[in-house]
Amino acid sequence: MTRFLILALIVALAGCTSILGKKSALSQIREKAAATAQRSKVTTVNTAQRPAANTVSTTRRFTVNTAQRPKAGAASHGRGVMSPVAMTELHSDTVVPLDAPADLWDRMRRGFAMPDLDTNPVRKYEAWYARRPDYLEHIARRSRIYMFHIVEELELRGMPTELALLPYIESAFNPQAVSSAKAAGIWQFMPGTGRDFQLTQNTLRDNRRHVIDSTRAALDYLQQLHSMFGDWQLALAAYNWGPGNVKRAVDRNRAAGRDVNYASLRMPAETRNYVPKLQALKNIVSKPQVYGATLPQIGNHPFFDTVEIARDIDIEVAARLAEVRLEDFKALNPSERKPVIFAAGTPQVLLLPWDNAAIFKRNLAAAAPNSLASWTTWVAPSTLPSHEVARQFGMDERNFRAINGLSGGKMVKAGSTVIVRRPNDPVTSAADADAVDDSAETLYLSNIALRRTTVHANKDDSIAAIAKRYDLPAATVARWNKSRPGAVLKPGQPVALFLPAYADAETREK
């Protein structure tokens, strides 16, 4: 009997344990559900605070602080609920327009960021421009082919877009403008400053006039000046007057206990009026209707595209292949100083109206290679009068002098590289066209003197082999030696070369 009682008690206890186990499982399910609900709570956005269309919104980003999340499998403090998730707001100074600019003027206005100057000189220049609407419109039309590139570059660098108006003051957007102090291009770089900012200046081209290169250099310089003075108005004064002069003016005012802002400095009249002119233009662009001004339409899209060329080509031929007017081609490629672009051996980039770039490529591919350039370069083997060189290449002496910048009575010195009409003889035939084209490379070394030197042929040498050894065009070496590019030489036969001075020195050491 006792055994049966004990057995019944064991069964009863087992049943109670099973019931308690079920209750525990239900409790766990409820706790898990509560935890899920807690995790699914999200922060809602008050849509009434969202900016409407056509307004400006300050960009905000939210990030989750994952450091406060419990790791997988970690204890949850016995409550079955995750720790609170912290939300951190990241502020950005970037202002994002929610609508696209109507045109480039609208896009420019949105990037105006310099502090305004409100002075009598500003009002004087507002009135000056307002009385000359035709002049203002003419300059604005001239700027249309450059302006998109400038505004885009300013935006990429985070610079105030009113700086795109600076060439109005510097050059009236005329890339051929040259000041009395020899400053050139739309940004008016002095020769020395241009070299400081890697703007090539040689016989063939002046990149102070190059649209892309000069804009890059100008913005580099302006950023450098802004870093130096911490103020855009002082940076502009330094761009006009020179950083050393502005620094001394600032130091004088600081030593005297006076303000060191732009309006307080003692400066020449040109520099004193420099920023007021820019401010006046900015005001007119901001509200042209107030000043009775008409701004020509400038689309918010690129005006030009770049095309690389690897063969010499006449300026007139390039314009014809691109199907653009010669004056328009020159306006986009104002850095070229000669009637031909030498590209063989030193590939060059042309700027062409956007739609015409593809047309140029198609027409160039279909053109005969020997029809592209009617000019080449020639190195004088000895000192000659200019009329003799002109006669040799069937040119008018006056034309020869003008193309090569030679004054009357000036001799063509031995080793000098000049531009001449491409001759039609066996030495410069189409078969040797590539070698002739490469001879223009000597013109890029405008600051390096060329010297005549003599080398001696080895066994089985030819003119072409020696030319290759010294990285020279075979046709040019053949002309220097009154021979042919493929001519085989006898061992020890002397060959005349014109080499840069440093290369000549190395040759003699060998």
Side-chain angles (χ1 to χ4, degrees):
M1 184 67 180
T2 304
R3 287 180 182 177
F4 285 108
L5 289 173
I6 293 172
L7 182 61
L9 182 59
I10 291 171
V11 171
L13 288 172
C16 291
T17 302
S18 176
I19 294 169
L20 288 172
K22 289 179 181 178
K23 288 183 178 179
S24 176
L26 289 171
S27 298
Q28 290 175 7
I29 291 171
R30 290 192 185 98
E31 289 176 356
K32 287 181 179 179
T36 302
Q38 181 69 24
R39 287 197 301 270
S40 66
K41 289 182 179 180
V42 296
T43 302
T44 59
V45 178
N46 184 353
T47 56
Q49 295 179 358
R50 287 182 180 175
N54 303 323
T55 61
V56 175
S57 170
T58 300
T59 303
R60 293 185 178 182
R61 301 179 181 88
F62 293 91
T63 183
V64 177
N65 186 349
T66 55
Q68 296 186 16
R69 286 182 176 175
K71 293 181 180 179
S76 58
H77 308 291
R79 297 190 299 273
V81 179
M82 291 180 64
S83 304
V85 177
M87 303 294 289
T88 304
E89 184 177 352
L90 300 180
H91 293 277
S92 170
D93 293 331
T94 305
V95 176
V96 182
L98 300 183
D99 58 326
D103 57 18
L104 194 62
W105 299 112
D106 185 20
R107 180 175 176 178
M108 187 192 302
R109 292 180 194 109
R110 296 182 185 198
F112 286 170
M114 285 175 55
D116 287 331
L117 188 68
D118 185 14
T119 61
N120 287 332
V122 172
R123 287 182 282 277
K124 180 181 78 172
Y125 285 108
E126 286 174 347
W128 191 92
Y129 287 119
R131 290 195 302 270
R132 296 166 174 81
D134 293 342
Y135 169 79
L136 193 62
E137 185 176 358
H138 173 71
I139 304 304
R141 289 190 183 280
R142 183 189 285 166
S143 74
R144 78 191 191 285
I145 66 177
Y146 314 116
M147 191 64 83
F148 179 89
H149 175 73
I150 297 172
V151 170
E152 189 168 65
E153 288 299 307
L154 287 167
E155 287 179 343
L156 289 171
R157 294 168 180 247
M159 298 171 70
T161 53
E162 54 261 60
L163 294 173
L165 301 172
L166 202 57
Y168 278 87
I169 301 166
E170 286 288 347
S171 62
F173 270 101
N174 178 6
Q176 298 299 341
V178 180
S179 74
S180 58
K182 306 301 182 186
I186 63 173
W187 296 97
Q188 288 290 281
F189 270 97
M190 297 285 286
T193 310
R195 285 189 289 271
D196 290 342
F197 286 89
Q198 295 78 52
L199 294 178
T200 301
Q201 300 160 62
N202 59 31
T203 305
L204 296 177
R205 62 176 46 87
D206 185 348
N207 280 356
R208 293 178 298 164
R209 296 184 171 94
H210 194 280
V211 178
I212 294 177
D213 289 353
S214 67
T215 297
R216 183 266 311 159
L219 302 195
D220 284 350
Y221 191 24
L222 286 166
Q223 283 185 310
Q224 184 185 99
L225 294 171
H226 182 259
S227 297
M228 185 182 300
F229 295 103
D231 180 281
W232 281 114
Q233 293 177 353
L234 292 181
L236 287 169
Y239 188 89
N240 176 258
W241 192 24
N245 291 325
V246 173
K247 185 179 183 302
R248 284 187 286 273
V250 168
D251 290 344
R252 281 195 299 269
N253 273 30
R254 185 174 286 119
R258 294 194 292 267
D259 289 339
V260 294
N261 56 40
Y262 176 86
S264 302
L265 297 184
R266 186 176 179 181
M267 298 177 288
E270 180 183 328
T271 308
R272 187 183 308 283
N273 292 323
Y274 195 66
V275 174
K277 288 180 181 179
L278 183 65
Q279 182 68 55
L281 286 168
K282 174 183 174 180
N283 294 345
I284 292 171
V285 170
S286 295
K287 297 179 179 179
Q289 66 280 4
V290 172
Y291 301 92
T294 301
L295 300 179
Q297 179 71 22
I298 302 181
N300 185 28
H301 53 75
F303 184 89
F304 58 76
D305 195 5
T306 58
V307 178
E308 185 174 287
I309 56 171
R311 295 192 64 85
D312 296 356
I313 188 169
D314 290 353
I315 296 287
E316 292 183 359
V317 172
R320 186 172 70 250
L321 293 181
E323 298 181 12
V324 299
R325 297 186 309 165
L326 181 60
E327 52 267 38
D328 292 337
F329 181 90
K330 289 182 176 180
L332 280 172
N333 300 275
S335 59
E336 302 298 335
R337 303 178 69 174
K338 302 299 180 183
V340 60
I341 301 170
F342 291 106
T346 52
Q348 302 298 321
V349 173
L350 299 181
L351 302 187
L352 296 171
W354 189 268
D355 294 334
N356 296 82
I359 295 172
F360 175 83
K361 291 178 184 178
R362 183 174 65 249
N363 291 339
L364 180 64
N370 60 359
S371 69
L372 300 178
S374 58
W375 302 91
T376 187
T377 56
W378 179 75
V379 179
S382 59
T383 299
L384 297 167
S386 60
H387 67 82
E388 174 59 27
V389 178
R391 184 197 61 77
Q392 184 173 337
F393 289 94
M395 296 176 63
D396 175 74
E397 183 184 2
R398 184 177 300 176
N399 187 28
F400 171 77
R401 288 182 178 279
I403 289 173
N404 290 283
L406 299 173
S407 57
K410 189 172 183 180
M411 302 285 283
V412 179
K413 296 182 179 178
S416 298
T417 302
V418 292
I419 294 175
V420 295
R421 281 286 181 186
R422 186 181 293 272
N424 293 315
D425 59 46
V427 173
T428 56
S429 63
D432 299 312
D434 290 337
V436 173
D437 291 345
D438 284 345
S439 67
E441 291 182 25
T442 54
L443 282 176
Y444 292 104
L445 304 174
S446 58
N447 296 323
I448 299 176
L450 298 177
R451 293 181 182 174
R452 181 189 176 102
T453 190
T454 301
V455 299
H456 294 85
N458 299 323
K459 184 180 179 181
D460 298 327
D461 255 347
S462 65
I463 289 288
I466 290 179
K468 184 177 181 181
R469 192 178 305 154
Y470 290 94
D471 195 24
L472 291 167
T476 301
V477 176
R479 182 177 292 282
W480 290 339
N481 292 274
K482 298 181 179 179
S483 182
R484 295 178 296 100
V488 178
L489 304 172
K490 296 178 181 180
Q493 183 174 338
V495 178
L497 300 176
F498 287 91
L499 301 173
Y502 62 84
D504 180 34
E506 292 175 358
T507 302
R508 292 180 187 280
E509 289 174 7
K510 293 178 182 178

